[in-house]
Amino acid sequence: MLERRTARRYPVTALVQYRWKATLPPLESGEGRTQGISTNGVFVVGDAQPPLGAYVYIELFRHDRINELRIWLRGEGVVVRVDSEGRPDRGFAASLRTVSINSTQLQ
């Protein structure tokens, strides 16, 4: 199988919430966890899969020093792969076009 990734992938697991534009308002949404992230994308295993080509809004969460859940990364991008047929770890890959990191959560 040909490797198409252009950026190094890191096996980071974080809680994630995501939304995407459906045919009609309101936005569709889902929750899950990351299975891996890179400098230009993320793979999410979750309870709902956006369709291929959908524009997604993603927020990754982690626990802070007092164990409260905080947003530490936000991103927007396009769904480039959907794995949903008969898999227990169904999910999707998104190529992120914009990323914002909350650096106070990285301490």
Side-chain angles (χ1 to χ4, degrees):
M1 178 177 238
L2 179 64
E3 179 63 49
R4 296 182 299 185
R5 292 183 187 97
T6 58
R8 184 171 178 192
R9 191 170 52 162
Y10 300 94
V12 174
T13 300
L15 298 176
V16 62
Q17 292 180 345
Y18 50 97
R19 301 177 311 280
W20 69 94
K21 292 182 180 179
T23 307
L24 298 172
L27 295 177
E28 298 281 342
S29 64
E31 294 183 344
R33 62 178 168 75
T34 60
Q35 193 172 50
I37 64 172
S38 72
T39 54
N40 60 359
V42 61
F43 188 84
V44 176
V45 175
D47 59 0
Q49 283 69 46
L52 188 64
Y55 197 81
V56 292
Y57 307 90
I58 296 175
E59 295 178 327
L60 277 61
F61 296 82
R62 63 172 284 189
H63 292 280
D64 65 10
R65 286 177 253 151
I66 57 173
N67 208 30
E68 290 186 17
L69 204 55
R70 304 275 188 203
I71 294 173
W72 67 273
L73 186 143
R74 285 187 169 105
E76 296 180 18
V78 175
V79 175
V80 294
R81 189 177 92 229
V82 177
D83 294 340
S84 59
E85 293 297 318
R87 295 182 59 163
D89 61 342
R90 65 186 189 167
F92 66 94
S95 175
L96 299 180
R97 305 240 168 108
T98 63
V99 174
S100 171
I101 297 174
N102 183 352
S103 61
T104 60
Q105 296 302 312
L106 298 177
Q107 300 174 3

